[in-house]
């Protein structure tokens, strides 16, 4: 704010009591935020004297000033008891105008604050209620979909299919091949002790088809797609875009959530089949290259070992995982607050919850299938 | 340096052409803003006013032309000079652009913490002062999401004022404000100029405020993609022959 360039003297305050009982403060020097401010409180000066009727602050000696001067003047006004009038004298008109504008208005209501424990409990209740509402809303939306009354755009659905399926192929390819090789290796080292290398095919085939294919695909898709759902819907929430949909009578649950859930539920089993095949391929490579099996042997052994019920148990799991991933992604997205960090939190929560749901569902389904001898 | 500070021209925009890729927005924009002047940028919606501000504050690089501050061209300066120039600017974005995960006082405190050596309590006082200036005293601990649209706008204004900048850029400061607050905002703008000698570049559609505060102006035309008029708003109203300018300044009611 330097307007003139002559050398600057430091900001100073001098107080004196005039004979008529008025207390006069003389301000001088250059007042700048990046300098030291005088620490001055008239009441400390006046401790033992009778309270003056008025305080007059004179700005005659001021050179340059910025916000720091206003802060000082506001401070004086605040520490003075209401019955003492504070007057400004010889201040630049700009400073007086700004000070008038900054006069404290009626105090704003302070935002409500709750104690820690109550907050945690409230949040837990809120989360539970919201989750239940979301499950209910999603069920109703699915019901309307069955009656062909749900509204979403085919282009959105198509884009989501694209995003949940083909776009994920490269990473699924790499991971599944590697998982297949790892399974084969781990097993082969043990099986070799008994000269039973041929059972690598059983191990990899059943392991991939029943468990690893669906599980690895689901975990990859949680990180890749579940998080994307949360971030996308979360930033829409932050921008009031979801409110705009709602007020137009378009249900976000149908318009945004349904296409995503459907796309993921359709695509995840397909990706799982693909992952199973590649895993078996990876295992086969290890068997053929390192353990002297012929490709034909490996193929026949695999076909023998992998039953249709094993394949279906994997596919059923993948459908459940698809629902869970889309569910946690969309739920966290719609639940998002209106700030940038809230979007980040929603994305994190979507992935963390998604993975937990998947593992829990895996445990339950594995037990159920075992009991049913499926 | 001394001579430059004393010279009257603060901002000089010369031959500026603005484009997003191949999409030309405005060409041959020329104007100067004198120190302590309130410069109004006018024009229909979508003509490139916000884009012009973004070019002036270094967010977008001009396709051609220069933006000169105190005789130093912004885009020819090195990083250090550019940072120094930016520190002297306060910007109110059209959408407020408050950092949504910080309270209002944290929003204002951030530049103060980064660029000054003030203590925490002084920073709190500065934040309180700036909020009081825009009529938001007492809202220090609110998050932007729990404010009304107009309040967010005013909070953005308070943040633009945080460092007592020499140049303020306001993108539609009075949009979303009631007439009384809009009037107070004009008072604030005038007091900032008179009190602190700030230079202001204001984008606004508010006719009352254009005539109340504007010292000089430029009118951007969307169809021709170039400025078609400039000068003191009252002069424009009385002397400018261009139908588009007259239409704008008279809210569509053309002079007989
Ligand atoms: N990021 C961008 N990429 C491409 N084109 C853009 C971008 N931002 C704006 N535009 C285009 O530039 C033109 C000018 O936009 P700008 O935001 O500067 O308008 P404005 O004059 O500020 O309008 P308003 O008064 O409505 O705010 C518009 O036609 C817009 O479509
Ligand atoms: Mg704009």
């Amino acid at each position: 704010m330097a307007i003139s360039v002559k050398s600057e003297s430091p900001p100073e305050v001098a107080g004196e009591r005039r004979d008529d009982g008025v207390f006069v403060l003389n301000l001088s020097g250059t007042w700048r935020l990046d300098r030291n401010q005088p620490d001055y409180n008239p009441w400390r000066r006046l401790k033992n004297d009778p309270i003056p009727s008025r305080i007059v602050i004179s700005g005659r000696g001021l050179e340059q000033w910025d916000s720091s001067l206003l802060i000082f003047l506001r401070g004086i006004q605040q520490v003075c008891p209401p019955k003492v009038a504070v007057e400004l004298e010889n201040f630049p008109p700009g400073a007086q105008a700004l000070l008038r504008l900054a006069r404290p208005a009626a105090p704003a209501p302070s935002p409500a604050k709750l104690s820690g424990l109550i907050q945690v409990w409230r949040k837990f209740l809120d989360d539970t209620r919201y989750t239940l509402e979301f499950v209910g809303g999603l069920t109703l939306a699915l019901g309307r979909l069955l009656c062909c009354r749900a509204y979403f755009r085919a282009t959105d659905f198509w884009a989501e299919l694209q995003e949940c399926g083909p776009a994920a192929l490269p990473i699924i390819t790499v991971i599944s091949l590697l998982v297949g090789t790892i399974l084969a290796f781990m097993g082969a080292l043990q099986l070799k002790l008994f000269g039973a290398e041929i059972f690598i095919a059983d191990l990899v085939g059943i392991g991939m088809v029943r468990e690893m294919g669906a599980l690895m695909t689901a975990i990859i898709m949680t990180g890749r797609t579940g998080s994307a759902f949360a971030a996308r819907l979360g930033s829409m929430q932050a921008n009031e875009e979801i409110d705009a949909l709602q007020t137009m009578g378009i249900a976000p649950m149908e318009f945004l959530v349904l296409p995503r859930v459907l796309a993921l539920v359709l695509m995840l089993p397909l990706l799982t089949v693909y992952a199973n095949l590649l895993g078996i391929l990876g295992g086969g490579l290890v068997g053929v290259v390192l353990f002297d099996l012929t490709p034909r042997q490996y193929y026949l052994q695999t076909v023998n070992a992998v039953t249709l019920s094993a394949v279906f148990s994997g596919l059923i799991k993948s459908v459940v995982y698809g629902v869970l991933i889309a569910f946690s992604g969309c739920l966290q997205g719609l639940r998002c607050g209106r700030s940038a960090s809230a979007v980040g939190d929603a994305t994190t929560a979507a992935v963390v919850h998604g993975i937990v749901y998947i593992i829990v569902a895996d445990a339950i389904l594995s037990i159920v299938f075992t009991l049913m001898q499926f | 340096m001394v001579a430059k500070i004393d010279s009257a021209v603060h901002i000089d925009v010369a031959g500026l052409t603005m484009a997003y890729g191949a999409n030309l927005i405005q060409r041959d924009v020329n104007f100067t803003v004198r120190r302590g002047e309130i410069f109004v940028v006018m024009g229909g919606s979508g003509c490139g006013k916000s884009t012009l501000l973004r070019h002036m504050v270094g967010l977008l690089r001009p396709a051609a032309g220069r933006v000169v501050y105190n005789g130093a061209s912004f885009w020819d300066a090195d990083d250090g000079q550019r940072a120094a120039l930016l520190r002297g600017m306060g910007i109110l974005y059209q959408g407020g652009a408050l950092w949504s995960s910080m309270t209002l006082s944290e929003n204002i405190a951030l530049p103060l913490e980064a660029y000054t050596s003030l203590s925490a309590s002084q920073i709190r006082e500065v934040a309180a002062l700036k909020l009081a200036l825009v009529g938001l005293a007492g809202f220090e601990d609110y998050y932007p999401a729990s404010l009304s649209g107009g309040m967010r706008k005013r909070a953005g204004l308070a943040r633009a004022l945080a460092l007592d900048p020499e140049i303020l850029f306001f993108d539609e400061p009075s949009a979303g404000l009631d007439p009384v607050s809009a009037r107070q905002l004009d008072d604030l703008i005038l007091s900032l100029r008179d009190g602190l000698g700030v230079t202001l570049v204001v984008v606004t559609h508010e006719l009352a405020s254009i005539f109340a505060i504007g010292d000089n102006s430029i009118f951007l035309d969307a169809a021709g993609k170039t400025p078609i008029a400039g000068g003191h708003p009252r002069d424009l109203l009385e002397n400018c022959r261009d139908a588009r300018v007259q239409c704008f300044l008279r809210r569509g009611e053309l002079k007989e």
Side-chain angles (χ1 to χ4, degrees):
Chain A
M1 219 58 55
I3 294 166
S4 82
V5 284
K6 65 180 180 214
S7 70
E8 298 162 352
S9 45
E12 267 165 28
V13 185
E16 64 176 317
R17 174 183 285 277
R18 284 208 309 243
D19 295 338
D20 54 359
V22 176
F23 191 69
V24 182
L25 285 178
N26 286 303
L27 309 191
S28 61
T30 291
W31 292 65
R32 301 263 295 264
L33 268 181
D34 48 9
R35 301 293 180 72
N36 286 333
Q37 312 294 317
D39 175 22
Y40 189 88
N41 181 338
W43 302 118
R44 245 186 344 238
R45 253 308 290 282
L46 290 170
K47 239 182 342 230
N48 306 318
D49 301 345
I51 291 180
S53 56
R54 289 191 296 148
I55 292 184
V56 173
I57 307 177
S58 159
R60 192 173 289 120
L62 279 179
E63 288 161 16
Q64 296 168 28
W65 55 275
D66 65 8
S67 305
S68 59
L69 177 69
L70 303 179
I71 289 173
F72 178 82
L73 294 177
R74 255 162 69 93
I76 300 269
Q77 285 176 339
Q78 272 159 13
V79 296
C80 282
K83 64 177 191 288
V84 179
V86 179
E87 284 167 22
L88 300 182
E89 214 178 67
N90 293 317
F91 270 92
Q96 297 196 15
L98 285 174
L99 203 63
R100 260 198 309 281
L101 281 171
R103 184 171 302 150
S110 65
K113 283 222 170 65
L114 297 173
S115 80
L117 211 58
I118 299 181
Q119 245 174 353
V120 172
W121 175 241
R122 282 270 174 86
K123 183 166 161 15
F124 173 75
L125 283 186
D126 273 2
D127 284 353
T128 317
R129 209 192 52 222
Y130 194 85
T131 310
L132 291 179
E133 274 175 16
F134 192 86
V135 173
L138 187 58
T139 317
L140 290 178
L142 281 171
R144 275 196 296 279
L145 179 73
L146 290 180
C147 312
C148 298
R149 283 196 292 124
Y151 175 69
F152 58 81
R153 294 189 308 174
T155 48
D156 285 351
F157 180 53
W158 186 245
E160 290 304 334
L161 275 182
Q162 208 62 15
E163 191 47 41
C164 297
L169 282 179
I171 183 161
I172 301 274
T173 309
V174 175
I175 303 278
S176 314
L177 264 178
L178 288 177
V179 168
T181 13
I182 294 167
L183 275 181
F185 243 129
M186 305 283 293
L189 292 179
Q190 307 300 318
L191 292 170
K192 205 171 171 201
L193 299 176
F194 309 104
E197 286 97 331
I198 186 65
F199 287 105
I200 295 174
D202 296 53
L203 181 85
V204 173
I206 298 176
M208 281 310 289
V209 165
R210 266 199 189 275
E211 190 60 40
M212 294 309 279
L215 189 64
M216 291 312 295
T217 312
I219 288 184
I220 293 168
M221 293 309 276
T222 317
R224 201 183 167 281
T225 306
S227 61
F229 287 174
R232 181 78 183 280
L233 299 192
S235 44
M236 286 184 80
Q237 180 67 269
N239 276 336
E240 301 185 273
E241 292 172 45
I242 300 215
D243 300 356
L245 281 176
Q246 228 149 16
T247 48
M248 285 195 179
I250 299 173
M253 194 60 88
E254 293 172 19
F255 190 78
L256 298 172
V257 177
L258 266 191
R260 291 183 164 77
V261 173
L262 289 180
L264 203 55
V265 169
L266 282 179
M267 281 302 173
L268 206 59
L270 295 183
L271 288 176
T272 302
V273 170
Y274 177 75
N276 291 345
L277 291 176
L278 278 166
I280 291 172
L281 183 68
L285 284 179
V286 171
V288 171
V289 175
L290 298 177
F291 296 97
D292 297 333
L293 302 174
T294 68
R296 188 174 161 71
Q297 260 180 326
Y298 192 91
Y299 169 74
L300 288 178
Q301 187 71 18
T302 305
V303 170
N304 261 334
V306 176
T307 60
L308 210 53
S309 71
V311 174
F312 273 114
S313 77
L315 289 185
I316 292 172
K317 280 183 183 174
S318 76
V319 171
V320 175
Y321 298 161
V323 175
L324 293 176
I325 297 168
F327 173 83
S328 91
C330 294
L331 177 124
Q332 296 301 337
L334 287 186
R335 186 87 234 257
C336 181
R338 292 210 197 282
S339 70
S341 62
V343 176
D345 293 345
T347 315
T348 311
V351 174
V352 172
H353 291 192
I355 290 180
V356 171
Y357 293 158
I358 288 170
I359 303 292
V360 171
D362 188 19
I364 295 175
L365 286 175
S366 299
I367 294 172
V368 171
F369 289 156
T370 315
L371 290 180
M372 287 168 50
Q373 298 182 334
F374 183 58
Chain B
M1 204 52 199
V2 172
K4 279 173 190 162
I5 284 180
D6 283 337
S7 82
V9 174
H10 200 172
I11 311 172
D12 181 20
V13 173
L16 183 70
T17 296
M18 310 183 282
Y20 287 105
N23 180 12
L24 177 73
I25 305 297
Q26 289 279 323
R27 69 188 141 72
D28 293 331
V29 182
N30 291 293
F31 61 88
T32 55
V33 183
R34 300 155 72 82
R35 188 171 287 283
E37 190 171 68
I38 299 176
F39 188 88
V40 178
V41 180
M42 299 182 283
S45 183
C47 67
K49 303 179 296 296
S50 302
T51 307
L52 175 61
L53 286 199
R54 295 171 79 80
H55 278 85
M56 294 180 76
V57 302
L59 285 172
L60 294 171
R61 189 181 270 276
R66 300 192 308 157
V67 180
V68 179
Y69 292 98
N70 289 330
S73 168
F74 187 92
W75 288 104
D76 298 330
D78 62 35
D79 286 351
Q81 289 169 310
R82 221 177 272 169
L85 279 175
L86 282 175
R87 204 168 307 169
M89 298 179 189
I91 301 149
L92 166 67
Y93 291 90
Q94 193 167 4
L98 294 167
W99 297 302
S100 55
S101 48
M102 300 183 203
T103 63
L104 294 194
S105 76
E106 286 168 344
N107 261 281
I108 298 171
L110 185 65
L112 292 166
E113 283 162 6
Y115 294 127
T116 67
S117 52
L118 299 180
S119 71
S121 67
Q122 283 171 315
I123 287 183
R124 253 198 320 281
E125 280 170 17
V126 177
L129 170 75
K130 305 287 160 156
L131 285 173
L133 278 178
V134 297
L136 284 176
F139 285 91
E140 283 82 357
D141 294 329
Y142 276 61
Y143 282 93
S146 45
L147 296 181
S148 76
M151 288 160 87
R152 252 175 260 168
K153 197 93 202 204
R154 284 184 279 154
L157 207 73
R159 187 182 66 184
L161 298 176
L163 288 171
D164 278 340
E166 294 183 57
I167 310 178
L168 281 165
F169 295 94
F170 288 171
D171 198 346
E172 306 203 7
S174 48
L177 297 187
D178 62 279
V180 179
S181 311
R183 173 67 209 276
Q184 279 170 351
L185 184 70
D186 287 351
D187 289 347
L188 173 66
I189 290 177
L190 289 171
S191 333
L192 284 171
R193 193 267 305 267
D194 298 340
L196 299 173
V198 183
T199 305
L200 287 114
V201 178
V202 184
V203 171
T204 177
H205 296 302
E206 195 77 21
L207 287 179
S209 136
I210 291 177
F211 293 122
I213 62 174
D215 295 320
N216 195 354
S217 70
I218 189 166
F219 188 97
L220 305 180
D221 179 41
K225 295 189 187 300
T226 190
I228 49 174
H232 194 289
R234 285 196 187 286
D235 275 357
L236 280 184
L237 181 67
E238 276 151 29
N239 302 326
C240 182
R241 298 267 150 117
D242 195 294
R244 290 162 288 186
V245 178
Q246 285 299 332
C247 190
F248 183 96
L249 291 176
R250 295 175 190 276
R251 306 188 72 189
E253 295 154 26
L254 275 182
K255 195 159 56 165
E256 304 75 73

